[in-house]
Amino acid sequence: MQGAGPAVCIGSDIDTDLIIAGRYLRTKDRSVWAEHAFEDLDPALAGRLSGAVIVAGRNMGCGSSREQAVIALREAGVVGIVAESFARIFFRNAINVGLPVIEATVPCTDGAHVAFDLDAGWVEVDGKRYPARPLLERMVAILRAGGLVPYWRSRR
């Protein structure tokens, strides 16, 4: 499974409250979540997410276990997230909703071209390749299916 897009760099220790603030969780309208993604970090960031690859540092998605954070990013059009490390629940929520997450340490400049290949286990930034921690085959299969629910439906 592959993906590519311009980098959106966000740093380390990005918690789920920064991804989607609690004040927007009163609605179940996912487009509202996408529209307000990262609003408290940078109000203009949501407008740059469509087609982008988020590049983060350590502990991406820490904090509360709200699935809405991952859904907000997917609905905003994020292609994938590359980070040095992920909070465990955020990582699994991303797999479950079909948003590729890749553990790798890469340099980041906003707008740099980022490509990844989950099968081969690499991330490229402006043509320079870096190793990525491989995902389990089952996780890649879930991502290919579009998430956990479509994965299980396809197996019936």
Side-chain angles (χ1 to χ4, degrees):
M1 177 172 204
Q2 299 178 343
V8 171
C9 307
I10 59 172
S12 293
D13 299 315
I14 301 298
D15 66 42
T16 55
D17 291 325
L18 278 177
I19 297 169
I20 185 63
R23 65 185 169 274
Y24 297 111
L25 300 181
R26 291 184 204 107
T27 181
K28 292 185 181 185
D29 185 344
R30 295 171 176 208
S31 67
V32 170
W33 301 342
E35 179 183 338
H36 295 283
F38 293 118
E39 186 173 273
D40 291 344
L41 182 64
D42 176 353
L45 203 52
R48 296 178 38 222
L49 295 177
S50 183
V53 176
I54 292 175
V55 179
R58 295 174 314 281
N59 205 23
M60 174 63 186
C62 57
S64 62
S65 62
R66 61 177 65 148
E67 187 179 55
Q68 295 95 330
V70 173
I71 293 169
L73 298 178
R74 187 195 65 199
E75 293 296 313
V78 171
V79 174
I81 304 171
V82 178
E84 290 178 40
S85 64
F86 291 88
R88 182 185 60 81
I89 293 173
F90 182 89
F91 183 88
R92 193 57 209 215
N93 281 341
I95 298 291
N96 289 346
V97 303
L99 180 62
V101 283
I102 305 99
E103 285 187 331
T105 301
V106 299
C108 190
T109 303
D110 274 329
H113 180 74
V114 178
F116 59 86
D117 187 320
L118 297 178
D119 298 309
W122 54 259
V123 176
E124 281 184 359
V125 178
D126 286 338
K128 184 169 182 192
R129 190 168 287 186
Y130 300 88
R133 186 175 182 189
L135 292 175
L136 298 173
E137 285 181 38
R138 184 179 216 167
M139 289 182 178
V140 174
I142 291 168
L143 288 169
R144 272 199 189 95
L148 189 59
V149 171
Y151 172 79
W152 283 114
R153 284 183 181 149
S154 72
R155 297 179 57 88
R156 287 187 182 184

